[in-house]
């Protein structure tokens, strides 16, 4: 958990806004460190977390979370964490071996044009299911984390279907259950490469930005590679001030450490002028 980022966002495990949809995106950078942050943050906040891992495995997140002082194994045993292994589920659909014991979350792989109803229904059923784990434990509001939505485009799912999925998750988790949703998506190329492509990642990011209440956009440094600064993150609040104007966005440069991250207001780091 990154205390400097918590200060920027004005949140803490004891005090954070419920009902938020947080969009994390990256371009020529790697925003996965923010997903690690929110995973450890909400577990420390005693929220019940459902993590949909479409790219990385539970072991990957466990090793990183261990360095951040959070045990995913313990959270899973207590029933606080539910991790849906998208990679393992995909193999069970694409290479069936014996009687299927899969949850059905990735059934859309048989027909991507059918949309993501099976995935949404799986997420919904896991959220509404019993807490399991230790008897007597009481968890806070539910949280859904997804890594990462853009991979669904490469699997043949339309951008519209992905936006429908995020909309239903937001309606269920944020509006009805007063929990939070954090979704990661990536734009590997430049904006001009995706211009006019309705099914490209850029169009997906635009649609998700309209849905979210907070957008964290990670990019590489405009000046190129720097050993001491890894990139910059733009913090965009999608809420309006008393005068009706959107809250101004802020840009911070960052450096990821083994057990955390440092953030600098743009122009204040001696490494980048």
């Amino acid at each position: 958990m990154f205390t400097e980022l918590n200060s920027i966002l004005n949140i803490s495990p004891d005090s954070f806004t419920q009902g938020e949809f947080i969009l994390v995106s990256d371009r020529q950078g790697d925003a996965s460190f923010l997903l690690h942050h929110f995973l450890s943050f909400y577990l420390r906040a005693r929220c019940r977390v459902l993590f949909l891992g479409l790219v990385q495995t539970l072991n990957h997140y466990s090793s990183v979370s261990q360095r951040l002082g959070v045990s995913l194994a313990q959270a899973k045993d207590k029933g606080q964490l539910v991790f849906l292994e998208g990679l393992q589920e995909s193999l069970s659909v694409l290479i069936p071996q014996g009687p299927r014991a899969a949850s059905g979350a990735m059934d859309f792989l048989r027909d991507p044009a059918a949309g993501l109803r099976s995935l949404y229904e799986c997420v919904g059923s896991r959220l509404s299911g019993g807490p399991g784990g230790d008897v007597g434990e009481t968890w806070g509001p539910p949280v859904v984390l997804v890594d990462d939505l853009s991979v669904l485009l490469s699997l043949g799912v339309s951008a519209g279907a992905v936006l429908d999925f995020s909309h239903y998750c937001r309606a269920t988790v944020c509006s009805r259950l007063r929990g939070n949703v954090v979704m990661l998506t990536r734009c590997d190329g430049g904006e001009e490469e995706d211009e006019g492509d309705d099914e490209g990642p850029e169009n997906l990011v635009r649609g998700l930005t309209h849905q979210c209440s907070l957008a964290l956009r990670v990019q590489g440094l405009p000046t190129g590679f720097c050993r001491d600064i890894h990139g910059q993150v733009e913090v965009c609040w999608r809420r309006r001030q008393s005068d009706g104007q959107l809250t101004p966005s802020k840009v911070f440069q960052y450096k990821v450490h083994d057990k955390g991250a440092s953030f600098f207001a743009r122009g204040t780091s001696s490494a980048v002028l």
Side-chain angles (χ1 to χ4, degrees), residues 10 19 83 173 204:
N10 194 28
F83 196 96
V173 180
L204 177 60

Side-chain angles (χ1 to χ4, degrees), residues 169-246:
C169 286
R170 181 169 61 99
T172 299
V173 180
C174 301
S175 299
R176 183 165 65 86
L177 301 177
R178 301 305 299 165
N180 288 359
V181 172
V182 182
M183 293 185 173
L184 169 67
T185 189
R186 302 184 186 279
C187 293
D188 293 329
E191 293 186 46
E192 64 281 355
E193 296 179 24
D194 202 34
E195 189 174 350
D197 183 3
D198 291 339
E199 297 302 328
E202 192 67 40
N203 186 59
L204 177 60
V205 169
R206 283 195 293 267
L208 291 169
T209 301
H210 285 297
Q211 294 184 12
C212 74
S213 53
L214 171 65
L216 302 175
R217 301 167 179 164
V218 173
Q219 293 182 308
L221 291 172
T223 54
F225 174 78
C226 176
R227 183 181 61 183
D228 296 317
I229 298 294
H230 293 154
Q232 63 183 35
V233 54
E234 183 180 9
V235 182
C236 304
W237 287 274
R238 303 289 297 171
R239 56 173 178 255
R240 297 190 179 276
Q241 305 176 102
S242 57
D243 59 1
Q245 299 296 316
L246 287 174

Side-chain angles (χ1 to χ4, degrees), residues 125-139:
S125 65
R126 293 296 185 95
L127 284 176
S128 60
D134 293 352
V135 177
E137 289 281 3
T138 301
W139 306 118

Side-chain angles (χ1 to χ4, degrees), residues 7-18:
S7 178
I8 292 171
L9 300 180
N10 194 28
I11 59 175
S12 73
D14 299 321
S15 176
F16 60 92
T17 303
Q18 295 179 222

